[in-house]
Amino acid sequence: MSKSHARKTLPTHEVTNQPPDRGDVDLWASDLVLRDCATRAGARAAPLAAYGAALGRAETREAGRDANLHPPELCLFDRGGRRLDEVRFHPAYHHMMDLSQSAGYAALAWDGAPGGHATHAAMVYLASQVEPGHCCPLTMTYAAVPALAANPELAEIWRPKLTADTYDPAPRPIGEKRSATLGMAMTEKQGGSDVRANTTTANRDGDAWRLRGHKWFCSAPMSDGFLTLAQAPGGLTCFLLPRWLEGERNAIHLMRLKDKLGNRANASSEVEFHDALAYQLGDEGAGVRTIIEMVHHTRLDTAMAPAGLMRAALSEAHHWVTHRSAFQRRLIDQPLMRAVLADLVLDWEGALALGLRVARTFDGDTAEDRAFARIGVALAKFVSNKRCPVVAVEAMEVLGGMGYVEDTPMPMIYREAPLNGIWEGSGNVICLDILRSLARDPLAAQTLQAKLDAATGADRRYDAALKAHRDRWSTLPPEAEARWFAEATAHLLTAALLLRHAPGAVADGYIATRVLGESGRIPGSVSGLDTDVLLGRLSG
């Protein structure tokens, strides 16, 4: 090549004004709000500290990313045409499952030590910040344990495997497993939330049953067993289906994987039962009453996950604005940006405080604890999941175009944000459950009112809002107002907790914006927030 054609390669630009890589981020040590709320809830600090540090390592966050980028693959047949009905996962998914199951995500609540459910709830919050998809099989496993109590013989076999702090993904019968996971398959095409419309049938086969039918949604189809509902001669009944029998697969056919908006690492599916062998849980005809214990506990996780997603979104946004400048000023120093982020902090901190307060009552053993757990988890699930997508999209916008790019976790968080509001009862179902609980259980209403009353006298605006709420709904509202009632009640309950335990600036801001509505409906349309205190809550 002649000298005239030779060209020296010169850089086109220098990379500046881009935030540094976050590296290892200890999700426990860097979260003052979590540590405070977990302590009040009676959660155990040691396992949470270890789990939060492990989840926050750069290599773990990269594994979470890989589990989403490489979704599960359905393998229906082997090369000879024999049915496999298996799902194959990327190694990163197994890494996340091993980390979380070994940490006690599904097991700690049942080991008899104090604070188990609160510790579990905090683990849901932490895991949701990194890779929410793998939480599904572990949440189902955690929640299935109390339902198994309806059949002591099955519980003796399955409970030790479900509460083992090890991960064993091998497709083997339960007796050959070091640990196990349990999924759920209830929803059918024609019924949705109305499970009494289910058409799957159950017929006796000696001491067991044979189930035949189709399930429109099956959570985590590679679980070692599933809880499901089917129509027995005595009515809708709960059953446990093992995926493997001695020497052969059970007749559970995977039809297809759901092509979902988010939660991509988790292989939700449609399944058919071709006279699959099953074992009865609870009385014949009492299927809903039996499985409701599982649903009750999964709802705790769907109330905690949005708090974790909000934390993840705000952490990314805060990192960006701290290291990014525009118009000759750091973004974090610009008043409008501070107003937006401070407003969003109120949603995150309120969701975390309410979720862990509810989790504390799951650990309680009094009638009052049980009553409040049922009404409180519904209120927390409803309000936190309505706020989560708002926080996610606003935090995404903070990053500008980068927030819309898969190089950041923002698109994953955005896709995940609506999910927990749909799972385990969508908004309308939850609001109607709230009305039914208050109507049927006087103790639920009494415990709720007692917790609202506990904060009176600290802030005249809160006292006035509580009085107005009770004047407006001196009796339970009509069905058409159920969402309004649930939202208002949940905001008051959150405000009561913040008044008693959070810094004054947090409680003051929450009451002004969420309880009294002294702001616009768009985040950041506020005035008078103490942005220094609120943004300080993010930096831990």
Side-chain angles (χ1 to χ4, degrees):
M1 180 180 294
S2 67
K3 291 184 178 179
S4 61
H5 288 90
R7 294 289 185 270
K8 184 178 180 181
T9 301
L10 298 174
T12 62
H13 66 288
E14 180 183 355
V15 177
T16 62
N17 200 24
Q18 281 288 319
D21 187 84
R22 298 187 70 188
D24 293 343
V25 181
D26 189 323
L27 300 185
W28 170 260
S30 64
D31 194 337
L32 171 64
V33 180
L34 170 62
R35 297 196 306 275
D36 285 350
C37 291
T39 298
R40 288 196 302 274
R44 305 174 211 167
L48 291 173
Y51 190 51
L55 281 169
R57 293 190 187 107
E59 63 183 23
T60 307
R61 298 203 310 275
E62 188 66 23
R65 173 180 166 81
D66 286 344
N68 275 269
L69 289 177
H70 304 284
E73 177 187 359
L74 179 61
C75 300
L76 291 178
F77 303 95
D78 68 10
R79 62 185 295 174
R82 292 171 287 269
R83 290 202 71 97
L84 284 177
D85 293 296
E86 292 184 0
V87 179
R88 293 176 183 164
F89 295 93
H90 188 272
Y93 173 85
H94 292 295
H95 175 79
M96 297 303 303
M97 286 288 291
D98 189 17
L99 172 64
S100 294
Q101 197 155 7
S102 298
Y105 182 115
L108 280 174
W110 310 111
D111 64 7
H117 290 283
T119 307
H120 163 80
M123 285 187 167
V124 175
Y125 168 83
L126 290 167
S128 297
Q129 297 177 46
V130 178
E131 202 301 289
H134 83 291
C135 295
C136 177
L138 296 178
T139 284
M140 297 293 170
T141 301
Y142 151 76
V145 172
L148 287 175
N151 187 322
E153 292 182 2
L154 287 177
E156 184 177 359
I157 296 169
W158 283 84
R159 178 169 172 146
K161 305 301 175 80
L162 300 180
T163 56
D165 56 357
T166 186
Y167 177 53
D168 181 1
R172 299 192 190 100
I174 187 66
E176 300 175 17
K177 299 273 291 187
R178 292 178 292 115
S179 68
T181 57
L182 206 58
M184 182 191 292
M186 290 203 297
T187 305
E188 297 186 5
K189 295 175 185 175
Q190 73 286 346
S193 297
D194 183 9
V195 294
R196 295 188 185 279
N198 284 5
T199 61
T200 297
T201 58
N203 293 292
R204 278 280 186 189
D205 184 358
D207 293 334
W209 296 76
R210 295 285 178 177
L211 270 55
R212 190 168 190 83
H214 179 278
K215 295 294 177 178
W216 192 231
F217 271 93
C218 172
S219 66
M222 283 300 285
S223 298
D224 297 288
F226 309 93
L227 295 191
T228 193
L229 297 174
Q231 299 288 355
L236 194 65
T237 304
C238 184
F239 296 93
L240 187 154
L241 285 85
R243 189 160 61 89
W244 275 83
L245 308 176
E246 292 299 327
E248 63 178 346
R249 291 173 172 81
N250 203 357
I252 304 170
H253 293 183
L254 306 187
M255 306 310 294
R256 62 172 175 168
L257 300 185
K258 293 293 192 180
D259 187 5
K260 300 170 294 184
L261 170 66
N263 207 242
R264 292 179 173 178
N266 179 43
S268 306
S269 67
E270 296 171 32
V271 299
E272 286 185 354
F273 304 145
H274 290 254
D275 296 324
L277 188 73
Y279 300 97
Q280 184 176 331
L281 272 179
D283 295 334
E284 194 172 337
V288 173
R289 188 167 69 247
T290 302
I291 208 166
I292 201 67
E293 277 301 313
M294 184 176 188
V295 174
H296 176 54
H297 286 79
T298 56
R299 282 184 177 176
L300 175 61
D301 290 22
T302 60
M304 288 305 307
L309 292 170
M310 287 189 265
R311 169 67 182 183
L314 288 173
S315 293
E316 287 292 326
H318 189 260
H319 180 71
W320 178 268
V321 300
T322 302
H323 296 92
R324 178 85 167 172
S325 297
F327 311 112
Q328 292 76 54
R329 288 188 298 173
R330 286 195 315 161
L331 290 175
I332 190 63
D333 297 327
Q334 301 192 24
L336 187 54
M337 180 62 75
R338 294 176 69 82
V340 171
L341 288 176
D343 196 5
L344 299 177
V345 164
L346 296 171
D347 288 318
W348 155 62
E349 182 153 355
L352 180 54
L354 181 57
L356 282 177
R357 179 61 185 89
V358 170
R360 176 181 166 186
T361 60
F362 276 66
D363 284 310
D365 57 5
T366 68
E368 289 79 9
D369 286 328
R370 290 188 291 273
F372 181 73
R374 294 201 181 276
I375 189 68
V377 76
L379 289 166
K381 171 176 159 51
F382 178 71
V383 73
S384 297
N385 282 295
K386 293 306 176 190
R387 299 306 302 172
C388 185
V390 176
V391 173
V393 75
E394 289 289 346
M396 175 186 283
E397 190 174 315
V398 167
L399 275 65
M402 277 301 296
Y404 204 67
V405 174
E406 297 285 350
D407 290 342
T408 77
M410 292 307 206
M412 182 276 288
I413 296 169
Y414 179 75
R415 290 190 295 267
E416 198 74 23
L419 179 57
N420 290 280
I422 297 171
W423 268 350
E424 308 310 332
S426 57
N428 285 356
V429 171
I430 294 298
C431 289
L432 295 176
D433 280 354
I434 290 169
L435 296 189
R436 279 192 290 269
S437 292
L438 293 174
R440 297 175 182 176
D441 186 358
L443 191 55
Q446 292 169 19
T447 56
L448 175 60
Q449 296 306 324
K451 286 175 172 52
L452 294 173
D453 286 337
T456 56
D459 188 294
R460 58 177 179 77
R461 298 167 306 161
Y462 171 83
D463 294 352
L466 181 58
K467 181 180 183 303
H469 181 274
R470 288 170 172 168
D471 289 345
R472 176 70 183 80
W473 291 296
S474 57
T475 59
L476 288 177
E479 182 177 311
E481 294 182 11
R483 281 189 171 220
W484 182 12
F485 174 82
E487 179 186 17
T489 305
H491 282 321
L492 281 167
L493 183 58
T494 304
L497 294 171
L498 297 178
L499 272 171
R500 298 179 65 193
H501 303 297
V506 177
D508 179 78
Y510 195 93
I511 292 169
T513 59
R514 273 50 173 182
V515 175
L516 301 181
E518 295 175 355
S519 64
R521 300 184 67 177
I522 296 173
S525 304
V526 295
S527 65
L529 294 182
D530 190 332
T531 57
D532 289 343
V533 171
L534 291 171
L535 295 182
R537 305 294 276 174
L538 276 177
S539 57

